Amino acid sequence: MGRRGASAVSVATMGRALKSVGASLKRPKPIVLCPWPRMKRQRRIFQLRRLAAASCAREPVFYEDEVDIHLNPKVGPDWMLKGLRRNVLTPGNNEKRYLAGAMNAKTRKVTWVKGASKASSLFISLLWRLATENKQARRIHLILDNASIHDNRKTHLALAQLRGRIVLHFLPPYCPEENRIERRGLDLHANVTRNHRCKSMDELLDNVDAYLQARNLSYPLI
């Protein structure tokens, strides 16, 4: 407004003006642009969407991702009465655990494993669990991001031991919106880890397991 020669106004006045036209105060979302050319990115996304649409019992398709679980609660929006503010107690010394999960593209049910670190061993543990739980499948397809634990020597050795039963399909870089299990991770934080009151990591992980199991039961059998 100053550059256009308009009169100077206070921040409060500008806020009221913006509110009058339907604008609201929100937190910006940081993003990173995919470095791939647009056509290459769109072609890859189309291929992965077509793969997910063809998911079946013989060749199921899963979306895979990892989630951080902190004993110090994530502080976020919560319901409070006017004039009151809820206090969120934190243990002080934080503890961390990690989940690796895979969501079936057709049934939307999640298989997950837990670990003390976000390392190759966590991802490999998930691979073996998927292979065990889907014995009838000729081949299992995983759509996932480009994290280093998904593409290193230990992971390649595990895939070789599985004799090609699991095939990895990597998303274009920085395209989390195409990984459908990301939404489940956000829901997990919103319903379990945000503003939680758990006093121990074991209690928090029990709540995580209970939430994921309840979500799995909410989907009809297909």
Side-chain angles (χ1 to χ4, degrees), residues 137-174:
R138 184 174 66 89
R139 188 176 291 112
I140 301 167
H141 301 273
L142 257 63
I143 298 174
L144 67 175
D145 62 29
N146 297 268
S148 60
I149 65 172
H150 302 154
D151 188 18
N152 58 30
R153 181 175 174 273
K154 290 183 179 179
T155 298
H156 291 165
L157 287 174
L159 291 170
Q161 291 176 342
L162 288 164
R163 301 177 182 275
R165 288 197 61 222
I166 296 183
V167 181
L168 307 185
H169 303 270
F170 292 99
L171 289 158
Y174 305 115

PDB file of all heavy atoms in Angstrom, residues 137-174:
ATOM      1  N   ALA A 137      -0.011 -63.606  -2.126  1.00  0.00           N
ATOM      2  CA  ALA A 137       0.350 -62.660  -3.182  1.00  0.00           C
ATOM      3  C   ALA A 137       1.557 -63.148  -3.973  1.00  0.00           C
ATOM      4  O   ALA A 137       2.560 -63.579  -3.394  1.00  0.00           O
ATOM      5  CB  ALA A 137       0.644 -61.295  -2.582  1.00  0.00           C
ATOM      6  N   ARG A 138       1.454 -63.065  -5.278  1.00  0.00           N
ATOM      7  CA  ARG A 138       2.599 -63.411  -6.137  1.00  0.00           C
ATOM      8  C   ARG A 138       3.657 -62.322  -6.066  1.00  0.00           C
ATOM      9  O   ARG A 138       4.849 -62.603  -6.071  1.00  0.00           O
ATOM     10  CB  ARG A 138       2.116 -63.590  -7.573  1.00  0.00           C
ATOM     11  CG  ARG A 138       3.197 -64.050  -8.553  1.00  0.00           C
ATOM     12  CD  ARG A 138       2.592 -64.333  -9.914  1.00  0.00           C
ATOM     13  NE  ARG A 138       2.089 -63.106 -10.531  1.00  0.00           N
ATOM     14  CZ  ARG A 138       2.849 -62.309 -11.309  1.00  0.00           C
ATOM     15  NH1 ARG A 138       4.105 -62.617 -11.535  1.00  0.00           N
ATOM     16  NH2 ARG A 138       2.338 -61.234 -11.847  1.00  0.00           N
ATOM     17  N   ARG A 139       3.215 -61.099  -5.981  1.00  0.00           N
ATOM     18  CA  ARG A 139       4.124 -59.959  -5.897  1.00  0.00           C
ATOM     19  C   ARG A 139       3.440 -58.837  -5.130  1.00  0.00           C
ATOM     20  O   ARG A 139       2.244 -58.623  -5.265  1.00  0.00           O
ATOM     21  CB  ARG A 139       4.522 -59.487  -7.291  1.00  0.00           C
ATOM     22  CG  ARG A 139       5.618 -58.420  -7.311  1.00  0.00           C
ATOM     23  CD  ARG A 139       6.025 -58.058  -8.737  1.00  0.00           C
ATOM     24  NE  ARG A 139       6.734 -59.169  -9.371  1.00  0.00           N
ATOM     25  CZ  ARG A 139       6.257 -59.878 -10.378  1.00  0.00           C
ATOM     26  NH1 ARG A 139       5.062 -59.594 -10.882  1.00  0.00           N
ATOM     27  NH2 ARG A 139       6.949 -60.861 -10.904  1.00  0.00           N
ATOM     28  N   ILE A 140       4.212 -58.131  -4.306  1.00  0.00           N
ATOM     29  CA  ILE A 140       3.705 -57.027  -3.497  1.00  0.00           C
ATOM     30  C   ILE A 140       4.384 -55.746  -3.970  1.00  0.00           C
ATOM     31  O   ILE A 140       5.613 -55.689  -4.073  1.00  0.00           O
ATOM     32  CB  ILE A 140       3.991 -57.258  -2.002  1.00  0.00           C
ATOM     33  CG1 ILE A 140       3.334 -58.555  -1.515  1.00  0.00           C
ATOM     34  CG2 ILE A 140       3.518 -56.073  -1.165  1.00  0.00           C
ATOM     35  CD1 ILE A 140       3.813 -59.006  -0.147  1.00  0.00           C
ATOM     36  N   HIS A 141       3.574 -54.732  -4.241  1.00  0.00           N
ATOM     37  CA  HIS A 141       4.104 -53.466  -4.749  1.00  0.00           C
ATOM     38  C   HIS A 141       4.034 -52.404  -3.646  1.00  0.00           C
ATOM     39  O   HIS A 141       2.994 -52.241  -3.001  1.00  0.00           O
ATOM     40  CB  HIS A 141       3.309 -52.996  -5.964  1.00  0.00           C
ATOM     41  CG  HIS A 141       3.326 -53.972  -7.101  1.00  0.00           C
ATOM     42  ND1 HIS A 141       4.322 -53.984  -8.064  1.00  0.00           N
ATOM     43  CD2 HIS A 141       2.478 -54.975  -7.431  1.00  0.00           C
ATOM     44  CE1 HIS A 141       4.079 -54.943  -8.943  1.00  0.00           C
ATOM     45  NE2 HIS A 141       2.968 -55.567  -8.571  1.00  0.00           N
ATOM     46  N   LEU A 142       5.127 -51.668  -3.460  1.00  0.00           N
ATOM     47  CA  LEU A 142       5.178 -50.586  -2.481  1.00  0.00           C
ATOM     48  C   LEU A 142       5.445 -49.271  -3.196  1.00  0.00           C
ATOM     49  O   LEU A 142       6.431 -49.148  -3.931  1.00  0.00           O
ATOM     50  CB  LEU A 142       6.294 -50.831  -1.451  1.00  0.00           C
ATOM     51  CG  LEU A 142       5.871 -51.329  -0.070  1.00  0.00           C
ATOM     52  CD1 LEU A 142       5.219 -52.696  -0.197  1.00  0.00           C
ATOM     53  CD2 LEU A 142       7.060 -51.388   0.874  1.00  0.00           C
ATOM     54  N   ILE A 143       4.557 -48.290  -2.979  1.00  0.00           N
ATOM     55  CA  ILE A 143       4.763 -46.921  -3.465  1.00  0.00           C
ATOM     56  C   ILE A 143       5.297 -46.114  -2.287  1.00  0.00           C
ATOM     57  O   ILE A 143       4.670 -46.067  -1.225  1.00  0.00           O
ATOM     58  CB  ILE A 143       3.446 -46.324  -3.991  1.00  0.00           C
ATOM     59  CG1 ILE A 143       2.937 -47.142  -5.177  1.00  0.00           C
ATOM     60  CG2 ILE A 143       3.631 -44.863  -4.378  1.00  0.00           C
ATOM     61  CD1 ILE A 143       1.564 -46.711  -5.685  1.00  0.00           C
ATOM     62  N   LEU A 144       6.444 -45.485  -2.449  1.00  0.00           N
ATOM     63  CA  LEU A 144       7.114 -44.854  -1.319  1.00  0.00           C
ATOM     64  C   LEU A 144       7.999 -43.703  -1.765  1.00  0.00           C
ATOM     65  O   LEU A 144       8.236 -43.502  -2.964  1.00  0.00           O
ATOM     66  CB  LEU A 144       7.927 -45.888  -0.546  1.00  0.00           C
ATOM     67  CG  LEU A 144       9.154 -46.531  -1.192  1.00  0.00           C
ATOM     68  CD1 LEU A 144       9.863 -47.418  -0.177  1.00  0.00           C
ATOM     69  CD2 LEU A 144       8.850 -47.341  -2.424  1.00  0.00           C
ATOM     70  N   ASP A 145       8.499 -42.949  -0.770  1.00  0.00           N
ATOM     71  CA  ASP A 145       9.337 -41.791  -1.079  1.00  0.00           C
ATOM     72  C   ASP A 145      10.794 -42.216  -1.236  1.00  0.00           C
ATOM     73  O   ASP A 145      11.122 -43.403  -1.201  1.00  0.00           O
ATOM     74  CB  ASP A 145       9.180 -40.708  -0.014  1.00  0.00           C
ATOM     75  CG  ASP A 145       9.617 -41.156   1.374  1.00  0.00           C
ATOM     76  OD1 ASP A 145      10.505 -42.028   1.479  1.00  0.00           O
ATOM     77  OD2 ASP A 145       9.067 -40.637   2.368  1.00  0.00           O
ATOM     78  N   ASN A 146      11.661 -41.230  -1.390  1.00  0.00           N
ATOM     79  CA  ASN A 146      13.062 -41.498  -1.710  1.00  0.00           C
ATOM     80  C   ASN A 146      13.980 -41.457  -0.493  1.00  0.00           C
ATOM     81  O   ASN A 146      15.169 -41.133  -0.630  1.00  0.00           O
ATOM     82  CB  ASN A 146      13.539 -40.487  -2.755  1.00  0.00           C
ATOM     83  CG  ASN A 146      12.787 -40.611  -4.062  1.00  0.00           C
ATOM     84  OD1 ASN A 146      13.196 -41.316  -4.963  1.00  0.00           O
ATOM     85  ND2 ASN A 146      11.661 -39.901  -4.172  1.00  0.00           N
ATOM     86  N   ALA A 147      13.475 -41.769   0.684  1.00  0.00           N
ATOM     87  CA  ALA A 147      14.309 -41.795   1.887  1.00  0.00           C
ATOM     88  C   ALA A 147      15.455 -42.787   1.723  1.00  0.00           C
ATOM     89  O   ALA A 147      15.321 -43.818   1.065  1.00  0.00           O
ATOM     90  CB  ALA A 147      13.466 -42.152   3.105  1.00  0.00           C
ATOM     91  N   SER A 148      16.586 -42.482   2.337  1.00  0.00           N
ATOM     92  CA  SER A 148      17.787 -43.305   2.159  1.00  0.00           C
ATOM     93  C   SER A 148      17.602 -44.734   2.658  1.00  0.00           C
ATOM     94  O   SER A 148      18.199 -45.666   2.121  1.00  0.00           O
ATOM     95  CB  SER A 148      18.977 -42.657   2.874  1.00  0.00           C
ATOM     96  OG  SER A 148      18.715 -42.519   4.272  1.00  0.00           O
ATOM     97  N   ILE A 149      16.745 -44.936   3.683  1.00  0.00           N
ATOM     98  CA  ILE A 149      16.565 -46.294   4.210  1.00  0.00           C
ATOM     99  C   ILE A 149      15.825 -47.189   3.222  1.00  0.00           C
ATOM    100  O   ILE A 149      15.804 -48.408   3.377  1.00  0.00           O
ATOM    101  CB  ILE A 149      15.836 -46.286   5.566  1.00  0.00           C
ATOM    102  CG1 ILE A 149      14.405 -45.762   5.423  1.00  0.00           C
ATOM    103  CG2 ILE A 149      16.610 -45.485   6.591  1.00  0.00           C
ATOM    104  CD1 ILE A 149      13.578 -45.910   6.686  1.00  0.00           C
ATOM    105  N   HIS A 150      15.197 -46.587   2.209  1.00  0.00           N
ATOM    106  CA  HIS A 150      14.460 -47.368   1.207  1.00  0.00           C
ATOM    107  C   HIS A 150      15.349 -47.819   0.052  1.00  0.00           C
ATOM    108  O   HIS A 150      14.915 -48.628  -0.765  1.00  0.00           O
ATOM    109  CB  HIS A 150      13.301 -46.547   0.630  1.00  0.00           C
ATOM    110  CG  HIS A 150      12.338 -46.078   1.655  1.00  0.00           C
ATOM    111  ND1 HIS A 150      11.545 -44.944   1.486  1.00  0.00           N
ATOM    112  CD2 HIS A 150      12.008 -46.581   2.876  1.00  0.00           C
ATOM    113  CE1 HIS A 150      10.793 -44.780   2.545  1.00  0.00           C
ATOM    114  NE2 HIS A 150      11.053 -45.744   3.408  1.00  0.00           N
ATOM    115  N   ASP A 151      16.550 -47.283  -0.017  1.00  0.00           N
ATOM    116  CA  ASP A 151      17.386 -47.547  -1.192  1.00  0.00           C
ATOM    117  C   ASP A 151      18.853 -47.577  -0.796  1.00  0.00           C
ATOM    118  O   ASP A 151      19.625 -46.677  -1.141  1.00  0.00           O
ATOM    119  CB  ASP A 151      17.129 -46.468  -2.253  1.00  0.00           C
ATOM    120  CG  ASP A 151      17.810 -46.784  -3.580  1.00  0.00           C
ATOM    121  OD1 ASP A 151      18.175 -47.959  -3.794  1.00  0.00           O
ATOM    122  OD2 ASP A 151      17.983 -45.856  -4.395  1.00  0.00           O
ATOM    123  N   ASN A 152      19.215 -48.592  -0.036  1.00  0.00           N
ATOM    124  CA  ASN A 152      20.625 -48.752   0.337  1.00  0.00           C
ATOM    125  C   ASN A 152      20.999 -50.231   0.302  1.00  0.00           C
ATOM    126  O   ASN A 152      20.176 -51.090  -0.036  1.00  0.00           O
ATOM    127  CB  ASN A 152      20.906 -48.146   1.722  1.00  0.00           C
ATOM    128  CG  ASN A 152      20.051 -48.755   2.818  1.00  0.00           C
ATOM    129  OD1 ASN A 152      19.650 -49.917   2.758  1.00  0.00           O
ATOM    130  ND2 ASN A 152      19.740 -47.961   3.845  1.00  0.00           N
ATOM    131  N   ARG A 153      22.221 -50.535   0.648  1.00  0.00           N
ATOM    132  CA  ARG A 153      22.737 -51.904   0.511  1.00  0.00           C
ATOM    133  C   ARG A 153      21.942 -52.904   1.354  1.00  0.00           C
ATOM    134  O   ARG A 153      21.579 -53.986   0.875  1.00  0.00           O
ATOM    135  CB  ARG A 153      24.207 -51.934   0.916  1.00  0.00           C
ATOM    136  CG  ARG A 153      24.868 -53.301   0.797  1.00  0.00           C
ATOM    137  CD  ARG A 153      26.349 -53.221   1.091  1.00  0.00           C
ATOM    138  NE  ARG A 153      26.952 -54.549   1.122  1.00  0.00           N
ATOM    139  CZ  ARG A 153      26.989 -55.319   2.202  1.00  0.00           C
ATOM    140  NH1 ARG A 153      26.458 -54.875   3.348  1.00  0.00           N
ATOM    141  NH2 ARG A 153      27.548 -56.521   2.172  1.00  0.00           N
ATOM    142  N   LYS A 154      21.641 -52.559   2.618  1.00  0.00           N
ATOM    143  CA  LYS A 154      20.909 -53.485   3.480  1.00  0.00           C
ATOM    144  C   LYS A 154      19.517 -53.775   2.931  1.00  0.00           C
ATOM    145  O   LYS A 154      19.059 -54.928   2.940  1.00  0.00           O
ATOM    146  CB  LYS A 154      20.805 -52.912   4.893  1.00  0.00           C
ATOM    147  CG  LYS A 154      22.116 -52.883   5.660  1.00  0.00           C
ATOM    148  CD  LYS A 154      21.902 -52.359   7.071  1.00  0.00           C
ATOM    149  CE  LYS A 154      23.212 -52.363   7.855  1.00  0.00           C
ATOM    150  NZ  LYS A 154      23.016 -51.831   9.225  1.00  0.00           N
ATOM    151  N   THR A 155      18.857 -52.739   2.438  1.00  0.00           N
ATOM    152  CA  THR A 155      17.522 -52.928   1.878  1.00  0.00           C
ATOM    153  C   THR A 155      17.569 -53.786   0.623  1.00  0.00           C
ATOM    154  O   THR A 155      16.726 -54.672   0.419  1.00  0.00           O
ATOM    155  CB  THR A 155      16.882 -51.567   1.573  1.00  0.00           C
ATOM    156  OG1 THR A 155      16.752 -50.835   2.801  1.00  0.00           O
ATOM    157  CG2 THR A 155      15.509 -51.735   0.946  1.00  0.00           C
ATOM    158  N   HIS A 156      18.566 -53.560  -0.223  1.00  0.00           N
ATOM    159  CA  HIS A 156      18.700 -54.360  -1.447  1.00  0.00           C
ATOM    160  C   HIS A 156      18.950 -55.827  -1.120  1.00  0.00           C
ATOM    161  O   HIS A 156      18.420 -56.717  -1.803  1.00  0.00           O
ATOM    162  CB  HIS A 156      19.830 -53.808  -2.304  1.00  0.00           C
ATOM    163  CG  HIS A 156      19.526 -52.465  -2.889  1.00  0.00           C
ATOM    164  ND1 HIS A 156      20.496 -51.645  -3.440  1.00  0.00           N
ATOM    165  CD2 HIS A 156      18.357 -51.784  -2.993  1.00  0.00           C
ATOM    166  CE1 HIS A 156      19.932 -50.540  -3.869  1.00  0.00           C
ATOM    167  NE2 HIS A 156      18.638 -50.597  -3.602  1.00  0.00           N
ATOM    168  N   LEU A 157      19.738 -56.083  -0.080  1.00  0.00           N
ATOM    169  CA  LEU A 157      19.985 -57.467   0.329  1.00  0.00           C
ATOM    170  C   LEU A 157      18.695 -58.132   0.813  1.00  0.00           C
ATOM    171  O   LEU A 157      18.425 -59.299   0.497  1.00  0.00           O
ATOM    172  CB  LEU A 157      21.056 -57.507   1.433  1.00  0.00           C
ATOM    173  CG  LEU A 157      22.492 -57.218   1.008  1.00  0.00           C
ATOM    174  CD1 LEU A 157      23.407 -57.145   2.231  1.00  0.00           C
ATOM    175  CD2 LEU A 157      22.996 -58.291   0.043  1.00  0.00           C
ATOM    176  N   ALA A 158      17.894 -57.387   1.583  1.00  0.00           N
ATOM    177  CA  ALA A 158      16.622 -57.935   2.074  1.00  0.00           C
ATOM    178  C   ALA A 158      15.682 -58.224   0.914  1.00  0.00           C
ATOM    179  O   ALA A 158      15.007 -59.268   0.885  1.00  0.00           O
ATOM    180  CB  ALA A 158      15.981 -56.954   3.050  1.00  0.00           C
ATOM    181  N   LEU A 159      15.622 -57.329  -0.057  1.00  0.00           N
ATOM    182  CA  LEU A 159      14.765 -57.548  -1.225  1.00  0.00           C
ATOM    183  C   LEU A 159      15.214 -58.771  -2.009  1.00  0.00           C
ATOM    184  O   LEU A 159      14.387 -59.531  -2.529  1.00  0.00           O
ATOM    185  CB  LEU A 159      14.783 -56.307  -2.123  1.00  0.00           C
ATOM    186  CG  LEU A 159      14.093 -55.064  -1.545  1.00  0.00           C
ATOM    187  CD1 LEU A 159      14.383 -53.848  -2.410  1.00  0.00           C
ATOM    188  CD2 LEU A 159      12.586 -55.282  -1.424  1.00  0.00           C
ATOM    189  N   ALA A 160      16.530 -58.982  -2.080  1.00  0.00           N
ATOM    190  CA  ALA A 160      17.053 -60.164  -2.774  1.00  0.00           C
ATOM    191  C   ALA A 160      16.654 -61.439  -2.039  1.00  0.00           C
ATOM    192  O   ALA A 160      16.309 -62.448  -2.665  1.00  0.00           O
ATOM    193  CB  ALA A 160      18.570 -60.058  -2.900  1.00  0.00           C
ATOM    194  N   GLN A 161      16.670 -61.397  -0.701  1.00  0.00           N
ATOM    195  CA  GLN A 161      16.266 -62.564   0.085  1.00  0.00           C
ATOM    196  C   GLN A 161      14.782 -62.869  -0.111  1.00  0.00           C
ATOM    197  O   GLN A 161      14.370 -64.028  -0.008  1.00  0.00           O
ATOM    198  CB  GLN A 161      16.562 -62.320   1.565  1.00  0.00           C
ATOM    199  CG  GLN A 161      18.057 -62.287   1.891  1.00  0.00           C
ATOM    200  CD  GLN A 161      18.317 -61.951   3.352  1.00  0.00           C
ATOM    201  OE1 GLN A 161      17.437 -61.433   4.042  1.00  0.00           O
ATOM    202  NE2 GLN A 161      19.514 -62.221   3.826  1.00  0.00           N
ATOM    203  N   LEU A 162      13.995 -61.847  -0.387  1.00  0.00           N
ATOM    204  CA  LEU A 162      12.562 -62.042  -0.630  1.00  0.00           C
ATOM    205  C   LEU A 162      12.280 -62.507  -2.055  1.00  0.00           C
ATOM    206  O   LEU A 162      11.111 -62.685  -2.437  1.00  0.00           O
ATOM    207  CB  LEU A 162      11.811 -60.735  -0.343  1.00  0.00           C
ATOM    208  CG  LEU A 162      11.721 -60.374   1.146  1.00  0.00           C
ATOM    209  CD1 LEU A 162      11.316 -58.916   1.329  1.00  0.00           C
ATOM    210  CD2 LEU A 162      10.720 -61.286   1.850  1.00  0.00           C
ATOM    211  N   ARG A 163      13.324 -62.676  -2.845  1.00  0.00           N
ATOM    212  CA  ARG A 163      13.240 -63.268  -4.189  1.00  0.00           C
ATOM    213  C   ARG A 163      12.244 -62.553  -5.105  1.00  0.00           C
ATOM    214  O   ARG A 163      11.451 -63.176  -5.815  1.00  0.00           O
ATOM    215  CB  ARG A 163      12.882 -64.755  -4.084  1.00  0.00           C
ATOM    216  CG  ARG A 163      13.878 -65.571  -3.282  1.00  0.00           C
ATOM    217  CD  ARG A 163      13.445 -67.011  -3.159  1.00  0.00           C
ATOM    218  NE  ARG A 163      14.381 -67.781  -2.348  1.00  0.00           N
ATOM    219  CZ  ARG A 163      15.490 -68.349  -2.793  1.00  0.00           C
ATOM    220  NH1 ARG A 163      15.814 -68.234  -4.079  1.00  0.00           N
ATOM    221  NH2 ARG A 163      16.279 -69.040  -1.995  1.00  0.00           N
ATOM    222  N   GLY A 164      12.281 -61.222  -5.048  1.00  0.00           N
ATOM    223  CA  GLY A 164      11.455 -60.457  -5.960  1.00  0.00           C
ATOM    224  C   GLY A 164       9.987 -60.371  -5.600  1.00  0.00           C
ATOM    225  O   GLY A 164       9.191 -59.847  -6.389  1.00  0.00           O
ATOM    226  N   ARG A 165       9.601 -60.865  -4.430  1.00  0.00           N
ATOM    227  CA  ARG A 165       8.183 -60.815  -4.044  1.00  0.00           C
ATOM    228  C   ARG A 165       7.724 -59.394  -3.730  1.00  0.00           C
ATOM    229  O   ARG A 165       6.529 -59.104  -3.788  1.00  0.00           O
ATOM    230  CB  ARG A 165       7.927 -61.704  -2.826  1.00  0.00           C
ATOM    231  CG  ARG A 165       7.979 -63.201  -3.135  1.00  0.00           C
ATOM    232  CD  ARG A 165       7.316 -63.988  -2.020  1.00  0.00           C
ATOM    233  NE  ARG A 165       5.905 -63.628  -1.868  1.00  0.00           N
ATOM    234  CZ  ARG A 165       5.312 -63.459  -0.681  1.00  0.00           C
ATOM    235  NH1 ARG A 165       5.993 -63.600   0.441  1.00  0.00           N
ATOM    236  NH2 ARG A 165       4.022 -63.162  -0.611  1.00  0.00           N
ATOM    237  N   ILE A 166       8.675 -58.518  -3.377  1.00  0.00           N
ATOM    238  CA  ILE A 166       8.323 -57.126  -3.098  1.00  0.00           C
ATOM    239  C   ILE A 166       9.065 -56.223  -4.079  1.00  0.00           C
ATOM    240  O   ILE A 166      10.283 -56.324  -4.233  1.00  0.00           O
ATOM    241  CB  ILE A 166       8.659 -56.743  -1.648  1.00  0.00           C
ATOM    242  CG1 ILE A 166       7.814 -57.573  -0.665  1.00  0.00           C
ATOM    243  CG2 ILE A 166       8.427 -55.254  -1.422  1.00  0.00           C
ATOM    244  CD1 ILE A 166       8.024 -57.216   0.789  1.00  0.00           C
ATOM    245  N   VAL A 167       8.307 -55.353  -4.728  1.00  0.00           N
ATOM    246  CA  VAL A 167       8.869 -54.423  -5.711  1.00  0.00           C
ATOM    247  C   VAL A 167       8.621 -53.003  -5.218  1.00  0.00           C
ATOM    248  O   VAL A 167       7.499 -52.658  -4.826  1.00  0.00           O
ATOM    249  CB  VAL A 167       8.233 -54.616  -7.100  1.00  0.00           C
ATOM    250  CG1 VAL A 167       8.857 -53.661  -8.114  1.00  0.00           C
ATOM    251  CG2 VAL A 167       8.387 -56.065  -7.552  1.00  0.00           C
ATOM    252  N   LEU A 168       9.669 -52.168  -5.228  1.00  0.00           N
ATOM    253  CA  LEU A 168       9.554 -50.784  -4.784  1.00  0.00           C
ATOM    254  C   LEU A 168       9.319 -49.862  -5.977  1.00  0.00           C
ATOM    255  O   LEU A 168       9.981 -49.984  -7.010  1.00  0.00           O
ATOM    256  CB  LEU A 168      10.827 -50.358  -4.038  1.00  0.00           C
ATOM    257  CG  LEU A 168      11.282 -51.248  -2.876  1.00  0.00           C
ATOM    258  CD1 LEU A 168      12.477 -50.624  -2.179  1.00  0.00           C
ATOM    259  CD2 LEU A 168      10.144 -51.511  -1.894  1.00  0.00           C
ATOM    260  N   HIS A 169       8.379 -48.932  -5.801  1.00  0.00           N
ATOM    261  CA  HIS A 169       8.067 -47.954  -6.840  1.00  0.00           C
ATOM    262  C   HIS A 169       8.200 -46.564  -6.201  1.00  0.00           C
ATOM    263  O   HIS A 169       7.379 -46.183  -5.360  1.00  0.00           O
ATOM    264  CB  HIS A 169       6.644 -48.152  -7.367  1.00  0.00           C
ATOM    265  CG  HIS A 169       6.391 -49.523  -7.912  1.00  0.00           C
ATOM    266  ND1 HIS A 169       6.595 -49.850  -9.233  1.00  0.00           N
ATOM    267  CD2 HIS A 169       5.950 -50.658  -7.289  1.00  0.00           C
ATOM    268  CE1 HIS A 169       6.283 -51.123  -9.422  1.00  0.00           C
ATOM    269  NE2 HIS A 169       5.902 -51.641  -8.260  1.00  0.00           N
ATOM    270  N   PHE A 170       9.215 -45.823  -6.605  1.00  0.00           N
ATOM    271  CA  PHE A 170       9.526 -44.559  -5.945  1.00  0.00           C
ATOM    272  C   PHE A 170       8.746 -43.394  -6.549  1.00  0.00           C
ATOM    273  O   PHE A 170       8.634 -43.261  -7.765  1.00  0.00           O
ATOM    274  CB  PHE A 170      11.024 -44.280  -6.016  1.00  0.00           C
ATOM    275  CG  PHE A 170      11.843 -45.225  -5.194  1.00  0.00           C
ATOM    276  CD1 PHE A 170      12.469 -46.314  -5.782  1.00  0.00           C
ATOM    277  CD2 PHE A 170      11.966 -45.048  -3.828  1.00  0.00           C
ATOM    278  CE1 PHE A 170      13.213 -47.197  -5.019  1.00  0.00           C
ATOM    279  CE2 PHE A 170      12.708 -45.922  -3.053  1.00  0.00           C
ATOM    280  CZ  PHE A 170      13.335 -47.006  -3.655  1.00  0.00           C
ATOM    281  N   LEU A 171       8.218 -42.555  -5.661  1.00  0.00           N
ATOM    282  CA  LEU A 171       7.546 -41.336  -6.059  1.00  0.00           C
ATOM    283  C   LEU A 171       8.558 -40.315  -6.572  1.00  0.00           C
ATOM    284  O   LEU A 171       9.745 -40.394  -6.231  1.00  0.00           O
ATOM    285  CB  LEU A 171       6.796 -40.731  -4.868  1.00  0.00           C
ATOM    286  CG  LEU A 171       5.550 -41.463  -4.384  1.00  0.00           C
ATOM    287  CD1 LEU A 171       5.254 -41.086  -2.934  1.00  0.00           C
ATOM    288  CD2 LEU A 171       4.365 -41.107  -5.277  1.00  0.00           C
ATOM    289  N   PRO A 172       8.126 -39.340  -7.354  1.00  0.00           N
ATOM    290  CA  PRO A 172       9.017 -38.230  -7.687  1.00  0.00           C
ATOM    291  C   PRO A 172       9.438 -37.519  -6.403  1.00  0.00           C
ATOM    292  O   PRO A 172       8.709 -37.533  -5.407  1.00  0.00           O
ATOM    293  CB  PRO A 172       8.149 -37.316  -8.558  1.00  0.00           C
ATOM    294  CG  PRO A 172       7.060 -38.199  -9.076  1.00  0.00           C
ATOM    295  CD  PRO A 172       6.805 -39.212  -7.999  1.00  0.00           C
ATOM    296  N   PRO A 173      10.609 -36.896  -6.375  1.00  0.00           N
ATOM    297  CA  PRO A 173      11.047 -36.204  -5.151  1.00  0.00           C
ATOM    298  C   PRO A 173      10.073 -35.109  -4.734  1.00  0.00           C
ATOM    299  O   PRO A 173       9.510 -34.410  -5.573  1.00  0.00           O
ATOM    300  CB  PRO A 173      12.405 -35.603  -5.561  1.00  0.00           C
ATOM    301  CG  PRO A 173      12.840 -36.395  -6.751  1.00  0.00           C
ATOM    302  CD  PRO A 173      11.591 -36.816  -7.455  1.00  0.00           C
ATOM    303  N   TYR A 174       9.884 -35.003  -3.424  1.00  0.00           N
ATOM    304  CA  TYR A 174       9.071 -33.938  -2.830  1.00  0.00           C
ATOM    305  C   TYR A 174       7.646 -33.901  -3.377  1.00  0.00           C
ATOM    306  O   TYR A 174       7.139 -32.842  -3.736  1.00  0.00           O
ATOM    307  CB  TYR A 174       9.750 -32.575  -3.033  1.00  0.00           C
ATOM    308  CG  TYR A 174      11.159 -32.521  -2.511  1.00  0.00           C
ATOM    309  CD1 TYR A 174      12.235 -32.350  -3.378  1.00  0.00           C
ATOM    310  CD2 TYR A 174      11.429 -32.655  -1.149  1.00  0.00           C
ATOM    311  CE1 TYR A 174      13.538 -32.321  -2.907  1.00  0.00           C
ATOM    312  CE2 TYR A 174      12.729 -32.624  -0.664  1.00  0.00           C
ATOM    313  CZ  TYR A 174      13.781 -32.458  -1.553  1.00  0.00           C
ATOM    314  OH  TYR A 174      15.069 -32.435  -1.082  1.00  0.00           O
TER     315      TYR A 174
END
